[in-house]
Structure formats: C-alpha cells, structure tokens
Amino acid sequence: MGGSRWLLGLFLLLLGHPAIIQATDMRYLRHSGGREGGGEGPANTTTTTTLPPGDLLLDDVVDPSLGLEEVLVVRGQEVVLECEVADHVKPIPGDDSVEGEVRWFHDGTQVLGDLRVSIMWTGRVVMSHAVSADSGVWWCHRSGRPGPRRRLLVTTPPERPYLMYAGAQLAVDARLTTREGNSITLHCVVEGGNPAPALTWLLDALDITPSSQVWSEWVAGEGVYYTVSNITLARVTKDHHNNTVACVVAHPALPEPLPVPLRLNIEYSPDFRLRRWPAWGSPVREGTTVSLLCHVDANPPSSPTWVKETEGGSTEVASSGEWLNVTRAGSGDRGWYKCSTSHTFGHFSSHSVFINVLGEGPGSGSSPHTPQLLRKTTAADGLPSHCFAHNTTLLPHAGGVVVVEAVNTTVLSMGGRTTALAAVVCSRPPPSSVTWLPPGRQPPLDAGATTDRFRAHNLTAGEIPGCVYTVVTIVGVRPSDAGSWVVVAASERDADAALIRLNVTAAAHSFAASIAFAQHVDAVTNLHTLLLAAFIIFRSSTLQP
C-alpha cells in the first residue's frame, strides 16, 4: 500500500477545491472485477470518486436494475455456490448438456475446474480462496436448464484508517490541544478497500457528516480504492473541551464499523464564579462569620487567590484554597474583595464584591457606620478596578455584585409627621434601577417618582466611589404605612434588596411613647438617620438642574 501514499498530498489539496461537494449521501462503490475487463462505468456519485472500468453502483443487497442476488465475500475467503434449478424451468434450446450434467458460467464464460475452483458431483462450485477476479455474475445449467443468476462481490478489507492534522499523522487515541476560538481541520485517510468504504464523522454523539467532504480514488494497479475525508470545526469553544471527534469507517469486509477517535483538549482563559455564605444581601454583623468561595474554571487549571483592595492598591489575604473565611468579622474586615489568578494566558481577576460589617446596635438592628466607612478603591482613571481585565483593557460591560444596606433596619415614627427611610446601594457599574416597594397595596416607587404622600428622591452620590444613597420620604405618616418597606437595586448582572421595618405610634401620645421607647432604642442613631436623610434630600435637590 506504500505505493499509494503519494496520492495523499494530492487528495488534501483537492479536498479544498470547490468542485468537491458535501458527503451528504454516501453510497458503496463496488467493483465488478470481470475476468475479461469491461466497458465504461457510470457517472460519479454525490461524493467525488474516480471509478474503475466496469464499476456498478449498488445500494441494496439486490441490484434494482437486474434483480440479481448479491453475495459478498472477503478476498481469500472460501466460496461455495449451490446450483439450484426449479423443476418448472425449461431447457435452453440447442443446449447439448446430458442429463444430470452441471455447467457453471462466470460473466458469460464457462468455468472449468482447476486447482482453486472445483465443480463437485452435486453441482456446487467451490473456490478455495476468492480473488478479486472472481467478482461478477455467476449462474449454472443443470441438464440444460438455467439456474438463477447471482452477483459475487469479492471485497478487499481496507487497512487500518488514521487521522491527520496539519500535515502530520496522529497516533491512535490521540489528544489534540488547541486554544479556544481556533479552527481545526481533520483528515481521515483510508488506504485500500474494495468497494470504497463509507466514512461518517461524529462529535461525541452528534453526526456532523453533512459538513464533511470525501474523495475516493481507484488504484488500478492494486485493485483497491484510496479514500480521504475531511471535517472542519470552524471555531472551537470551551464547550468542546474533552469532546471526542471520531471518523467511523464502514466496509462490507469489516465485521462492524471501525471508529478512529480523537480527544479534544481546548485551552481557555479563566472564568470566575463567586459565592457567599450567608447569601448576598444578608447582613454581616460584628462577631459573625462570612465565607467567600471562588471557583476558577480554566484550562490549564489555575489556582485562585483572594485579595482585598485598599487605598494603596490590593493586599493578598490568607485563604484556604478557593475559600476565604472571615471569622469574628470586625470593622477592619469591611471593604472590597476580589479573586485573582495567574494563568498561562496572563493574570486575571474577578469583579469586586463588597463586605459591609454592621455594628451591634442595641436592639434596633441599626448600623453605627458613617458614610466614610463605606470605601472602595478605584482604578487609575477613577473607574472601578473590576472594569479592567488583566491587561488593563477597558471592558465597559463588565458588571459586579449589587449590595443594598439599610441605614436603619427599624424606624419609629409618630403619626402625622414626615418620615424618611434611607439605604446605601453599592454597585460597579451603577445600578440600572432602584425601586421602593411600600407595604400593602401601594404602587412601587422608582427613584425620582412621587405618588400621593410618598416621594422617592433621585439617587445621590456620596463620598464613596461606587456607592449611592436612596431615600424615600413619607409626608403625614399614617398607621397604614407601617410594615416592611423593601428597597430593590438591580444591574445587568445582579440584584439585591434590603428590608426596613417602619413602626408608627399614635400622634395623641406620641411624646410619652417616644420617651418610653427611648429607654430601649438608641435614639441618637435614629436622629443621625433623619439628619443624614435630610442632608441627602437637600443635596439631591441642589444637584438637580
């Protein structure tokens, strides 16, 4: 078969020619192999194929045009054909056979016994080992009466197929490494075989044969075909990682289809998945534990590192692999954290997440922090650092986690008074929407909207980059306004919410009630909230055009 290898380069060039069409209807090409040779064969099939003289195209076991039974044997195999003539068949006029005599014919020529072919006394013909020249139409005469004709096809098994990539032959069960986004073209080469083998392509369990091309060439000197098929994966992705591409070769001489597999090893840059316990939006109070999980999906694999962003840059923090566990959280743990990794393709970082540690308010659930405590380190241009990839290329659509924290989780108000509820929203980039949800059946309030006695003020930027304040004021608060007020902030990639409990006391004894309540609630914190809300409202009104 080495004499046919020179054809490979020609095939690989021809496979890219526009005249070669897709192999959407591959059919067997079977060589009749007549003893005397034959005339011209039929036209080419849907695949590009060079046919030998005397070639016939057969789709099924029975030839649809001649109605001949087809007998398939492998070259070198013993062949036995029985001479069976029905009783109703009449003798051929002019036949000189004697009663009981059996004569065999091959493609119109009488067969005479020799060392390889024997005609038994029972009338059967036995070929000790089939050769390619035995292919053709066989029939017998018994006592001058003709028997049924049958087509004998001596098949030649192909040699073991192999795959080629970029001009090189791949080993059996090879693993091909390429980078995400690349295009790969594979060639499946089958040397030998008669008839030409049928080739199909599989991507795992998906049949991708319609996207392939196939070329078969008849090698007259060897009496076999030389077949090449190619397939192109235009753009591989990380989803193709560890997929198997297989060229499956089917041939009558093979007991079952023979696959030639290739495993894909797709290299891709890191992708980060962040989780938090307790879940995002749940308050983190002093003395409690908060855990961050960073899973890095990359090939080659890459290990994560947790860093905390500070005014001077970023500082690596001690972590246990993917986990960052903060036990007995304190004010020093408050800040922005991100996950980074050093990979073969460079240095990569996730978006930043904010951990806000709330102080232990005496019974009110309030936070003693001031706006100066909510700080976020920014990048060189005043933009959030997670908006930059490892090579500082601006990625304007990169979004992070949204964090919403109530300034006071519980607010007490006297009936008839004007009350303000406030929350801090931290997000990079800024949130796309901030909505207040009143209790009962009151309609939602977007920032800047006013409904009846409720007004949701425009978002106000504070001193902390990446954080804004949202305030809703209630004019003439009523007992029906009491309940859970929810503020929801959303970005393109995330959303968060905070709950504020509003308690309303009766106006008739509001003074006495407020004195009694002050014994249990930190009134200084509530006063700070109202002053802060008044400042935000004043600043918002002054910033509006």
Side-chain angles (χ1 to χ4, degrees):
M1 195 55 58
S4 62
R5 291 182 179 272
W6 64 270
L7 294 171
L8 178 60
L10 176 62
F11 288 157
L12 298 183
L13 289 176
L14 290 175
L15 281 172
H17 194 276
I20 299 180
I21 57 179
Q22 294 180 339
T24 57
D25 185 21
M26 180 66 184
R27 297 184 286 180
Y28 286 148
L29 295 170
R30 297 176 178 174
H31 180 217
S32 61
R35 291 173 181 260
E36 304 296 331
E40 293 298 325
N44 292 352
T45 65
T46 54
T47 56
T48 301
T49 309
T50 302
L51 303 181
D55 216 294
L56 292 177
L57 185 64
L58 303 177
D59 292 319
D60 303 308
V61 174
V62 178
D63 188 315
S65 60
L66 302 178
L68 301 182
E69 176 190 0
E70 186 178 69
V71 179
L72 298 178
V73 297
V74 179
R75 186 174 61 182
Q77 177 183 345
E78 181 184 54
V79 180
V80 177
L81 300 178
E82 299 287 351
C83 183
E84 300 173 346
V85 182
D87 294 337
H88 66 275
V89 177
K90 296 181 180 180
I92 300 175
D95 189 275
D96 59 355
S97 300
V98 299
E99 182 65 25
E101 181 183 2
V102 175
R103 296 177 181 178
W104 277 93
F105 298 88
H106 177 213
D107 287 343
T109 301
Q110 185 175 352
V111 177
L112 303 177
D114 55 26
L115 295 178
R116 190 180 62 85
V117 180
S118 301
I119 301 177
M120 314 299 292
W121 66 272
T122 58
R124 70 175 55 167
V125 62
V126 178
M127 290 166 268
S128 60
H129 59 279
V131 296
S132 298
D134 293 331
S135 295
V137 179
W138 290 71
W139 71 93
C140 71
H141 289 176
R142 182 185 291 273
S143 302
R145 294 180 293 119
R149 300 189 179 203
R150 67 198 75 179
R151 179 178 295 281
L152 178 65
L153 175 61
V154 179
T155 65
T156 302
E159 296 187 10
R160 185 174 184 86
Y162 56 89
L163 297 178
M164 294 191 67
Y165 174 72
Q169 181 175 337
L170 301 178
V172 178
D173 295 327
R175 186 176 177 87
L176 177 62
T177 299
T178 187
R179 188 166 179 175
E180 182 179 25
N182 288 345
S183 173
I184 61 175
T185 298
L186 300 173
H187 302 275
C188 182
V189 181
V190 184
E191 298 180 355
N194 180 31
L199 306 183
T200 57
W201 288 91
L202 298 177
L203 179 60
D204 278 352
L206 178 64
D207 187 354
I208 57 175
T209 307
S211 301
S212 67
Q213 297 172 325
V214 63
W215 175 275
S216 292
E217 177 76 16
W218 173 254
V219 183
E222 301 179 17
V224 293
Y225 285 93
Y226 188 89
T227 306
V228 179
S229 178
N230 75 335
I231 191 74
T232 298
L233 301 180
R235 180 180 174 84
V236 295
T237 67
K238 60 185 296 183
D239 295 333
H240 292 123
H241 180 57
N242 281 331
N243 283 179
T244 297
V245 179
C247 172
V248 182
V249 180
H251 190 271
L254 298 176
E256 58 185 14
L258 178 63
V260 188
L262 172 68
R263 180 77 67 174
L264 296 179
N265 179 35
I266 309 301
E267 295 182 338
Y268 51 91
S269 56
D271 182 31
F272 298 87
R273 299 177 185 176
L274 305 184
R275 297 290 185 271
R276 197 191 85 166
W277 284 267
W280 305 110
S282 302
V284 179
R285 304 189 181 280
E286 288 187 353
T288 62
T289 298
V290 60
S291 299
L292 297 176
L293 171 66
C294 175
H295 175 68
V296 180
D297 180 20
N299 187 38
S302 186
S303 300
T305 301
W306 280 100
V307 297
K308 181 180 182 182
E309 298 182 271
T310 62
E311 295 291 347
S314 60
T315 303
E316 182 175 342
V317 293
S319 59
S320 177
E322 298 181 335
W323 289 91
L324 171 62
N325 297 311
V326 180
T327 57
R328 301 186 60 82
S331 59
D333 299 314
R334 184 181 295 117
W336 293 88
Y337 294 80
K338 67 180 179 180
C339 182
S340 63
T341 187
S342 294
H343 189 260
T344 304
F345 300 154
H347 187 78
F348 294 81
S349 295
S350 69
H351 59 261
S352 300
V353 296
F354 186 76
I355 296 181
N356 186 26
V357 181
L358 303 179
E360 290 294 341
S364 66
S366 61
S367 171
H369 65 261
T370 63
Q372 286 81 3
L373 294 178
L374 296 173
R375 298 188 180 275
K376 173 69 179 73
T377 303
T378 58
D381 296 332
L383 295 173
S385 60
H386 70 267
C387 290
F388 294 87
H390 69 280
N391 60 358
T392 69
T393 301
L394 184 62
L395 300 175
H397 298 292
V401 174
V402 177
V403 178
V404 180
E405 297 283 358
V407 174
N408 282 302
T409 58
T410 302
V411 175
L412 175 67
S413 178
M414 292 181 293
R417 298 290 182 90
T418 297
T419 300
L421 309 178
V424 180
V425 180
C426 296
S427 174
R428 299 296 185 93
S432 57
S433 65
V434 176
T435 304
W436 286 87
L437 305 177
R441 297 185 178 181
Q442 298 293 339
L445 291 169
D446 293 328
T450 300
T451 302
D452 193 19
R453 297 173 296 107
F454 308 130
R455 180 184 179 188
H457 298 269
N458 290 326
L459 301 180
T460 305
E463 300 177 1
I464 309 94
C467 295
V468 295
Y469 295 95
T470 176
V471 176
V472 63
T473 56
I474 307 171
V475 179
V477 66
R478 301 171 184 174
S480 60
D481 300 331
S484 298
W485 287 70
V486 179
V487 56
V488 181
S491 67
E492 294 182 356
R493 296 183 57 182
D494 195 25
D496 194 19
L499 184 144
I500 302 175
R501 180 71 182 178
L502 175 62
N503 296 320
V504 180
T505 62
H509 59 281
S510 60
F511 182 73
S514 63
I515 293 177
F517 190 82
Q519 297 175 359
H520 305 284
V521 180
D522 188 356
V524 176
T525 301
N526 286 327
L527 178 60
H528 161 257
T529 302
L530 293 175
L531 293 175
L532 175 61
F535 166 76
I536 294 172
I537 295 171
F538 170 77
R539 181 169 180 179
S540 175
S541 61
T542 57
L543 292 177
Q544 295 181 19

